[in-house]
């Protein structure tokens, strides 16, 4: 999602528009009504909407979609002919067909100069091949996450934020890659969502390894549950017990 200056147009969600992006002239669809936006949320300079889309633009959009499918099929065939170690993900024309972009993933660098020459001869337009990472691949292709919902990156996430294994540790999650990795094979983006909650909650709980007084005697803190507001305490001769936070009478 990108912000544009609506100019003199009375635009509403669902309307098609023609805009200029860093890729060239593109077709877009309005998803938010006209509103004031804080400067820090904008990518300056703010470009204006060129014009509302016409029925002819809608027709061209569908023609471009069909052309994208054909271009994808041809490019995949050429990749096989050249024996290149790359996985083609998508083909996409700019709206005015001044450029044809192909997105792919690969383990390392790929010399695709000969491929570009073949594609340029076939399509008679500017060809651009872009190698993207596995997280961008998931964002582009979409899918259903372990939570049963459509991937965050394919719906509302505009940018990827750094996600670390420390976030999983702080949330007492099993450090099993299969449990904390998304479809892309990287740590799940949603680990970031609750990180601040856990960081703030840690101030109310005694640190792991410290000794505390409980109604059952002194014990060592083995962990805690911020949602139940309980602490796991290892008490000699009694093992690990779960004690409500309010029953902890002190820390040594």
């Amino acid at each position: 999602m990108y912000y544009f200056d609506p100019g003199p147009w009375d635009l509403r969600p669902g309307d098609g528009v023609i805009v200029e992006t860093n890729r060239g002239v593109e077709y877009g669809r309005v998803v938010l009504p006209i509103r004031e936006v804080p400067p820090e949320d904008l990518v300056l300079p703010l470009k204006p909407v060129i014009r509302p889309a016409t029925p002819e633009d809608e027709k061209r959009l569908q023609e471009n979609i069909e052309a994208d499918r054909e271009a994808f099929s041809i490019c995949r065939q050429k990749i096989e002919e050249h024996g290149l170690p790359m996985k083609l993900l998508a083909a996409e024309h700019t709206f005015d067909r001044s450029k044809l972009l192909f997105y792919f993933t690969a383990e390392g660098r790929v010399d695709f100069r000969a491929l570009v020459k073949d594609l340029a001869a076939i399509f008679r337009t500017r060809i651009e091949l872009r190698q993207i990472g596995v997280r961008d691949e998931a964002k582009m292709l979409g899918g259903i996450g372990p939570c049963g919902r459509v991937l965050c990156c394919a719906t509302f996430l505009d940018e990827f934020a750094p996600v670390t294994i420390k976030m999983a540790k702080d949330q007492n999650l099993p450090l099993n890659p299969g449990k904390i990795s998304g479809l892309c094979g990287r740590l799940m983006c949603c680990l970031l969502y609750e990180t601040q909650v856990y960081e703030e909650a840690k101030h109310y709980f005694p640190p792991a390894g410290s000794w505390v007084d409980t109604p059952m005697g002194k014990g060592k803190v083995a962990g805690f549950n911020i949602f139940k507001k309980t602490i796991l305490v290892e008490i000699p001769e009694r093992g690990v017990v779960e004690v409500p936070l309010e029953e902890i009478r002190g820390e040594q």
Side-chain angles (χ1 to χ4, degrees), residues 190-215:
C190 56
L191 291 177
L192 180 65
Y193 302 162
E194 297 181 9
T195 294
Q196 185 176 354
V197 175
Y198 280 86
E199 289 178 349
E200 294 175 352
K202 280 198 283 188
H203 297 295
Y204 301 98
F205 290 85
S210 60
W211 287 81
V212 295
D213 290 325
T214 76

PDB file of all heavy atoms in Angstrom, residues 190-215:
ATOM      1  N   CYS A 190       5.282 -12.964  13.444  1.00  0.00           N
ATOM      2  CA  CYS A 190       4.396 -12.680  14.566  1.00  0.00           C
ATOM      3  C   CYS A 190       5.107 -12.806  15.913  1.00  0.00           C
ATOM      4  O   CYS A 190       4.550 -12.397  16.940  1.00  0.00           O
ATOM      5  CB  CYS A 190       3.166 -13.573  14.531  1.00  0.00           C
ATOM      6  SG  CYS A 190       3.534 -15.341  14.487  1.00  0.00           S
ATOM      7  N   LEU A 191       6.329 -13.360  15.952  1.00  0.00           N
ATOM      8  CA  LEU A 191       7.083 -13.369  17.200  1.00  0.00           C
ATOM      9  C   LEU A 191       7.333 -11.943  17.688  1.00  0.00           C
ATOM     10  O   LEU A 191       7.496 -11.700  18.881  1.00  0.00           O
ATOM     11  CB  LEU A 191       8.424 -14.087  17.017  1.00  0.00           C
ATOM     12  CG  LEU A 191       8.379 -15.595  16.780  1.00  0.00           C
ATOM     13  CD1 LEU A 191       9.783 -16.132  16.551  1.00  0.00           C
ATOM     14  CD2 LEU A 191       7.736 -16.303  17.943  1.00  0.00           C
ATOM     15  N   LEU A 192       7.336 -11.017  16.745  1.00  0.00           N
ATOM     16  CA  LEU A 192       7.599  -9.619  17.093  1.00  0.00           C
ATOM     17  C   LEU A 192       6.409  -8.964  17.786  1.00  0.00           C
ATOM     18  O   LEU A 192       6.581  -8.040  18.577  1.00  0.00           O
ATOM     19  CB  LEU A 192       7.957  -8.844  15.821  1.00  0.00           C
ATOM     20  CG  LEU A 192       8.272  -7.367  15.947  1.00  0.00           C
ATOM     21  CD1 LEU A 192       9.547  -7.165  16.770  1.00  0.00           C
ATOM     22  CD2 LEU A 192       8.428  -6.729  14.580  1.00  0.00           C
ATOM     23  N   TYR A 193       5.199  -9.456  17.505  1.00  0.00           N
ATOM     24  CA  TYR A 193       4.005  -8.772  17.970  1.00  0.00           C
ATOM     25  C   TYR A 193       3.900  -8.713  19.502  1.00  0.00           C
ATOM     26  O   TYR A 193       3.437  -7.719  20.054  1.00  0.00           O
ATOM     27  CB  TYR A 193       2.739  -9.447  17.423  1.00  0.00           C
ATOM     28  CG  TYR A 193       2.671  -9.527  15.919  1.00  0.00           C
ATOM     29  CD1 TYR A 193       1.813 -10.413  15.290  1.00  0.00           C
ATOM     30  CD2 TYR A 193       3.475  -8.724  15.118  1.00  0.00           C
ATOM     31  CE1 TYR A 193       1.740 -10.492  13.908  1.00  0.00           C
ATOM     32  CE2 TYR A 193       3.416  -8.805  13.732  1.00  0.00           C
ATOM     33  CZ  TYR A 193       2.551  -9.689  13.135  1.00  0.00           C
ATOM     34  OH  TYR A 193       2.487  -9.773  11.771  1.00  0.00           O
ATOM     35  N   GLU A 194       4.302  -9.793  20.183  1.00  0.00           N
ATOM     36  CA  GLU A 194       4.133  -9.859  21.635  1.00  0.00           C
ATOM     37  C   GLU A 194       5.418  -9.576  22.404  1.00  0.00           C
ATOM     38  O   GLU A 194       5.415  -9.630  23.636  1.00  0.00           O
ATOM     39  CB  GLU A 194       3.589 -11.233  22.037  1.00  0.00           C
ATOM     40  CG  GLU A 194       2.204 -11.531  21.476  1.00  0.00           C
ATOM     41  CD  GLU A 194       1.687 -12.891  21.926  1.00  0.00           C
ATOM     42  OE1 GLU A 194       2.315 -13.513  22.795  1.00  0.00           O
ATOM     43  OE2 GLU A 194       0.644 -13.326  21.392  1.00  0.00           O
ATOM     44  N   THR A 195       6.477  -9.282  21.695  1.00  0.00           N
ATOM     45  CA  THR A 195       7.763  -9.067  22.362  1.00  0.00           C
ATOM     46  C   THR A 195       7.693  -7.972  23.421  1.00  0.00           C
ATOM     47  O   THR A 195       8.178  -8.136  24.539  1.00  0.00           O
ATOM     48  CB  THR A 195       8.849  -8.718  21.322  1.00  0.00           C
ATOM     49  OG1 THR A 195       9.055  -9.858  20.482  1.00  0.00           O
ATOM     50  CG2 THR A 195      10.160  -8.367  22.005  1.00  0.00           C
ATOM     51  N   GLN A 196       7.074  -6.856  23.080  1.00  0.00           N
ATOM     52  CA  GLN A 196       7.003  -5.744  24.031  1.00  0.00           C
ATOM     53  C   GLN A 196       6.217  -6.129  25.276  1.00  0.00           C
ATOM     54  O   GLN A 196       6.565  -5.723  26.389  1.00  0.00           O
ATOM     55  CB  GLN A 196       6.362  -4.526  23.362  1.00  0.00           C
ATOM     56  CG  GLN A 196       6.351  -3.290  24.253  1.00  0.00           C
ATOM     57  CD  GLN A 196       5.797  -2.071  23.550  1.00  0.00           C
ATOM     58  OE1 GLN A 196       5.522  -2.103  22.348  1.00  0.00           O
ATOM     59  NE2 GLN A 196       5.619  -0.993  24.280  1.00  0.00           N
ATOM     60  N   VAL A 197       5.162  -6.930  25.119  1.00  0.00           N
ATOM     61  CA  VAL A 197       4.367  -7.369  26.269  1.00  0.00           C
ATOM     62  C   VAL A 197       5.226  -8.167  27.241  1.00  0.00           C
ATOM     63  O   VAL A 197       5.184  -7.951  28.462  1.00  0.00           O
ATOM     64  CB  VAL A 197       3.166  -8.219  25.805  1.00  0.00           C
ATOM     65  CG1 VAL A 197       2.408  -8.790  27.006  1.00  0.00           C
ATOM     66  CG2 VAL A 197       2.237  -7.399  24.940  1.00  0.00           C
ATOM     67  N   TYR A 198       6.035  -9.075  26.713  1.00  0.00           N
ATOM     68  CA  TYR A 198       6.900  -9.893  27.564  1.00  0.00           C
ATOM     69  C   TYR A 198       7.993  -9.051  28.206  1.00  0.00           C
ATOM     70  O   TYR A 198       8.339  -9.266  29.373  1.00  0.00           O
ATOM     71  CB  TYR A 198       7.514 -11.029  26.745  1.00  0.00           C
ATOM     72  CG  TYR A 198       6.571 -12.195  26.538  1.00  0.00           C
ATOM     73  CD1 TYR A 198       5.666 -12.207  25.491  1.00  0.00           C
ATOM     74  CD2 TYR A 198       6.587 -13.284  27.412  1.00  0.00           C
ATOM     75  CE1 TYR A 198       4.787 -13.268  25.309  1.00  0.00           C
ATOM     76  CE2 TYR A 198       5.719 -14.356  27.235  1.00  0.00           C
ATOM     77  CZ  TYR A 198       4.823 -14.338  26.179  1.00  0.00           C
ATOM     78  OH  TYR A 198       3.962 -15.390  26.003  1.00  0.00           O
ATOM     79  N   GLU A 199       8.552  -8.112  27.457  1.00  0.00           N
ATOM     80  CA  GLU A 199       9.608  -7.275  28.016  1.00  0.00           C
ATOM     81  C   GLU A 199       9.084  -6.438  29.183  1.00  0.00           C
ATOM     82  O   GLU A 199       9.758  -6.265  30.199  1.00  0.00           O
ATOM     83  CB  GLU A 199      10.185  -6.364  26.925  1.00  0.00           C
ATOM     84  CG  GLU A 199      11.021  -7.116  25.897  1.00  0.00           C
ATOM     85  CD  GLU A 199      11.536  -6.211  24.797  1.00  0.00           C
ATOM     86  OE1 GLU A 199      11.062  -5.049  24.723  1.00  0.00           O
ATOM     87  OE2 GLU A 199      12.412  -6.638  24.021  1.00  0.00           O
ATOM     88  N   GLU A 200       7.865  -5.904  29.045  1.00  0.00           N
ATOM     89  CA  GLU A 200       7.277  -5.119  30.124  1.00  0.00           C
ATOM     90  C   GLU A 200       6.908  -6.006  31.309  1.00  0.00           C
ATOM     91  O   GLU A 200       7.072  -5.607  32.466  1.00  0.00           O
ATOM     92  CB  GLU A 200       6.044  -4.379  29.613  1.00  0.00           C
ATOM     93  CG  GLU A 200       6.361  -3.304  28.570  1.00  0.00           C
ATOM     94  CD  GLU A 200       5.107  -2.676  27.990  1.00  0.00           C
ATOM     95  OE1 GLU A 200       4.000  -3.175  28.289  1.00  0.00           O
ATOM     96  OE2 GLU A 200       5.227  -1.694  27.238  1.00  0.00           O
ATOM     97  N   ALA A 201       6.402  -7.203  31.037  1.00  0.00           N
ATOM     98  CA  ALA A 201       5.969  -8.096  32.117  1.00  0.00           C
ATOM     99  C   ALA A 201       7.132  -8.584  32.964  1.00  0.00           C
ATOM    100  O   ALA A 201       6.970  -8.853  34.166  1.00  0.00           O
ATOM    101  CB  ALA A 201       5.216  -9.292  31.525  1.00  0.00           C
ATOM    102  N   LYS A 202       8.316  -8.699  32.354  1.00  0.00           N
ATOM    103  CA  LYS A 202       9.467  -9.219  33.104  1.00  0.00           C
ATOM    104  C   LYS A 202       9.816  -8.351  34.306  1.00  0.00           C
ATOM    105  O   LYS A 202      10.424  -8.819  35.263  1.00  0.00           O
ATOM    106  CB  LYS A 202      10.681  -9.343  32.174  1.00  0.00           C
ATOM    107  CG  LYS A 202      10.645 -10.586  31.314  1.00  0.00           C
ATOM    108  CD  LYS A 202      12.012 -10.911  30.743  1.00  0.00           C
ATOM    109  CE  LYS A 202      12.360 -10.009  29.594  1.00  0.00           C
ATOM    110  NZ  LYS A 202      13.609 -10.442  28.923  1.00  0.00           N
ATOM    111  N   HIS A 203       9.424  -7.095  34.293  1.00  0.00           N
ATOM    112  CA  HIS A 203       9.726  -6.202  35.416  1.00  0.00           C
ATOM    113  C   HIS A 203       8.922  -6.561  36.667  1.00  0.00           C
ATOM    114  O   HIS A 203       9.261  -6.150  37.770  1.00  0.00           O
ATOM    115  CB  HIS A 203       9.448  -4.745  35.026  1.00  0.00           C
ATOM    116  CG  HIS A 203      10.316  -4.249  33.908  1.00  0.00           C
ATOM    117  ND1 HIS A 203      11.684  -4.119  34.018  1.00  0.00           N
ATOM    118  CD2 HIS A 203      10.006  -3.867  32.636  1.00  0.00           C
ATOM    119  CE1 HIS A 203      12.191  -3.668  32.878  1.00  0.00           C
ATOM    120  NE2 HIS A 203      11.195  -3.514  32.028  1.00  0.00           N
ATOM    121  N   TYR A 204       7.834  -7.319  36.494  1.00  0.00           N
ATOM    122  CA  TYR A 204       6.971  -7.664  37.629  1.00  0.00           C
ATOM    123  C   TYR A 204       7.276  -9.057  38.178  1.00  0.00           C
ATOM    124  O   TYR A 204       6.684  -9.471  39.172  1.00  0.00           O
ATOM    125  CB  TYR A 204       5.494  -7.597  37.208  1.00  0.00           C
ATOM    126  CG  TYR A 204       5.085  -6.240  36.712  1.00  0.00           C
ATOM    127  CD1 TYR A 204       5.030  -5.962  35.346  1.00  0.00           C
ATOM    128  CD2 TYR A 204       4.768  -5.224  37.601  1.00  0.00           C
ATOM    129  CE1 TYR A 204       4.657  -4.710  34.883  1.00  0.00           C
ATOM    130  CE2 TYR A 204       4.394  -3.963  37.153  1.00  0.00           C
ATOM    131  CZ  TYR A 204       4.338  -3.715  35.788  1.00  0.00           C
ATOM    132  OH  TYR A 204       3.976  -2.478  35.341  1.00  0.00           O
ATOM    133  N   PHE A 205       8.170  -9.785  37.511  1.00  0.00           N
ATOM    134  CA  PHE A 205       8.487 -11.142  37.935  1.00  0.00           C
ATOM    135  C   PHE A 205       9.942 -11.222  38.388  1.00  0.00           C
ATOM    136  O   PHE A 205      10.817 -10.561  37.817  1.00  0.00           O
ATOM    137  CB  PHE A 205       8.269 -12.135  36.781  1.00  0.00           C
ATOM    138  CG  PHE A 205       6.827 -12.335  36.419  1.00  0.00           C
ATOM    139  CD1 PHE A 205       6.184 -11.464  35.541  1.00  0.00           C
ATOM    140  CD2 PHE A 205       6.109 -13.397  36.948  1.00  0.00           C
ATOM    141  CE1 PHE A 205       4.863 -11.643  35.202  1.00  0.00           C
ATOM    142  CE2 PHE A 205       4.770 -13.590  36.605  1.00  0.00           C
ATOM    143  CZ  PHE A 205       4.146 -12.709  35.737  1.00  0.00           C
ATOM    144  N   PRO A 206      10.209 -12.016  39.436  1.00  0.00           N
ATOM    145  CA  PRO A 206      11.611 -12.210  39.840  1.00  0.00           C
ATOM    146  C   PRO A 206      12.365 -12.951  38.749  1.00  0.00           C
ATOM    147  O   PRO A 206      11.789 -13.795  38.044  1.00  0.00           O
ATOM    148  CB  PRO A 206      11.492 -13.048  41.115  1.00  0.00           C
ATOM    149  CG  PRO A 206      10.172 -13.729  41.013  1.00  0.00           C
ATOM    150  CD  PRO A 206       9.266 -12.780  40.285  1.00  0.00           C
ATOM    151  N   PRO A 207      13.642 -12.660  38.559  1.00  0.00           N
ATOM    152  CA  PRO A 207      14.412 -13.303  37.489  1.00  0.00           C
ATOM    153  C   PRO A 207      14.603 -14.795  37.741  1.00  0.00           C
ATOM    154  O   PRO A 207      14.620 -15.255  38.895  1.00  0.00           O
ATOM    155  CB  PRO A 207      15.741 -12.559  37.517  1.00  0.00           C
ATOM    156  CG  PRO A 207      15.847 -11.997  38.890  1.00  0.00           C
ATOM    157  CD  PRO A 207      14.455 -11.686  39.316  1.00  0.00           C
ATOM    158  N   ALA A 208      14.743 -15.539  36.654  1.00  0.00           N
ATOM    159  CA  ALA A 208      14.992 -16.980  36.763  1.00  0.00           C
ATOM    160  C   ALA A 208      16.298 -17.225  37.513  1.00  0.00           C
ATOM    161  O   ALA A 208      17.287 -16.519  37.300  1.00  0.00           O
ATOM    162  CB  ALA A 208      15.044 -17.613  35.374  1.00  0.00           C
ATOM    163  N   GLY A 209      16.276 -18.207  38.394  1.00  0.00           N
ATOM    164  CA  GLY A 209      17.466 -18.545  39.168  1.00  0.00           C
ATOM    165  C   GLY A 209      17.517 -17.888  40.532  1.00  0.00           C
ATOM    166  O   GLY A 209      18.331 -18.279  41.387  1.00  0.00           O
ATOM    167  N   SER A 210      16.653 -16.883  40.762  1.00  0.00           N
ATOM    168  CA  SER A 210      16.641 -16.230  42.082  1.00  0.00           C
ATOM    169  C   SER A 210      15.824 -17.061  43.071  1.00  0.00           C
ATOM    170  O   SER A 210      14.991 -17.877  42.683  1.00  0.00           O
ATOM    171  CB  SER A 210      16.066 -14.822  41.960  1.00  0.00           C
ATOM    172  OG  SER A 210      14.732 -14.868  41.467  1.00  0.00           O
ATOM    173  N   TRP A 211      16.079 -16.852  44.374  1.00  0.00           N
ATOM    174  CA  TRP A 211      15.363 -17.567  45.434  1.00  0.00           C
ATOM    175  C   TRP A 211      14.250 -16.695  45.973  1.00  0.00           C
ATOM    176  O   TRP A 211      14.428 -15.494  46.194  1.00  0.00           O
ATOM    177  CB  TRP A 211      16.323 -17.974  46.547  1.00  0.00           C
ATOM    178  CG  TRP A 211      17.220 -19.108  46.156  1.00  0.00           C
ATOM    179  CD1 TRP A 211      18.358 -19.030  45.425  1.00  0.00           C
ATOM    180  CD2 TRP A 211      17.016 -20.485  46.441  1.00  0.00           C
ATOM    181  NE1 TRP A 211      18.899 -20.280  45.231  1.00  0.00           N
ATOM    182  CE2 TRP A 211      18.093 -21.192  45.862  1.00  0.00           C
ATOM    183  CE3 TRP A 211      16.048 -21.199  47.136  1.00  0.00           C
ATOM    184  CZ2 TRP A 211      18.230 -22.579  45.958  1.00  0.00           C
ATOM    185  CZ3 TRP A 211      16.171 -22.579  47.241  1.00  0.00           C
ATOM    186  CH2 TRP A 211      17.240 -23.261  46.652  1.00  0.00           C
ATOM    187  N   VAL A 212      13.092 -17.289  46.186  1.00  0.00           N
ATOM    188  CA  VAL A 212      11.928 -16.546  46.678  1.00  0.00           C
ATOM    189  C   VAL A 212      11.240 -17.334  47.790  1.00  0.00           C
ATOM    190  O   VAL A 212      11.437 -18.550  47.933  1.00  0.00           O
ATOM    191  CB  VAL A 212      10.921 -16.278  45.533  1.00  0.00           C
ATOM    192  CG1 VAL A 212      11.515 -15.369  44.487  1.00  0.00           C
ATOM    193  CG2 VAL A 212      10.464 -17.592  44.902  1.00  0.00           C
ATOM    194  N   ASP A 213      10.441 -16.625  48.578  1.00  0.00           N
ATOM    195  CA  ASP A 213       9.636 -17.250  49.636  1.00  0.00           C
ATOM    196  C   ASP A 213       8.236 -17.524  49.115  1.00  0.00           C
ATOM    197  O   ASP A 213       7.602 -16.651  48.522  1.00  0.00           O
ATOM    198  CB  ASP A 213       9.551 -16.331  50.853  1.00  0.00           C
ATOM    199  CG  ASP A 213      10.880 -16.219  51.582  1.00  0.00           C
ATOM    200  OD1 ASP A 213      11.601 -17.229  51.631  1.00  0.00           O
ATOM    201  OD2 ASP A 213      11.191 -15.120  52.080  1.00  0.00           O
ATOM    202  N   THR A 214       7.755 -18.739  49.342  1.00  0.00           N
ATOM    203  CA  THR A 214       6.398 -19.122  48.957  1.00  0.00           C
ATOM    204  C   THR A 214       5.707 -19.721  50.170  1.00  0.00           C
ATOM    205  O   THR A 214       6.357 -20.046  51.178  1.00  0.00           O
ATOM    206  CB  THR A 214       6.420 -20.169  47.822  1.00  0.00           C
ATOM    207  OG1 THR A 214       6.768 -21.441  48.364  1.00  0.00           O
ATOM    208  CG2 THR A 214       7.417 -19.786  46.732  1.00  0.00           C
ATOM    209  N   PRO A 215       4.373 -19.888  50.127  1.00  0.00           N
ATOM    210  CA  PRO A 215       3.674 -20.546  51.236  1.00  0.00           C
ATOM    211  C   PRO A 215       4.171 -21.969  51.502  1.00  0.00           C
ATOM    212  O   PRO A 215       3.960 -22.521  52.589  1.00  0.00           O
ATOM    213  CB  PRO A 215       2.221 -20.553  50.773  1.00  0.00           C
ATOM    214  CG  PRO A 215       2.115 -19.395  49.837  1.00  0.00           C
ATOM    215  CD  PRO A 215       3.429 -19.357  49.134  1.00  0.00           C
TER     216      PRO A 215
END
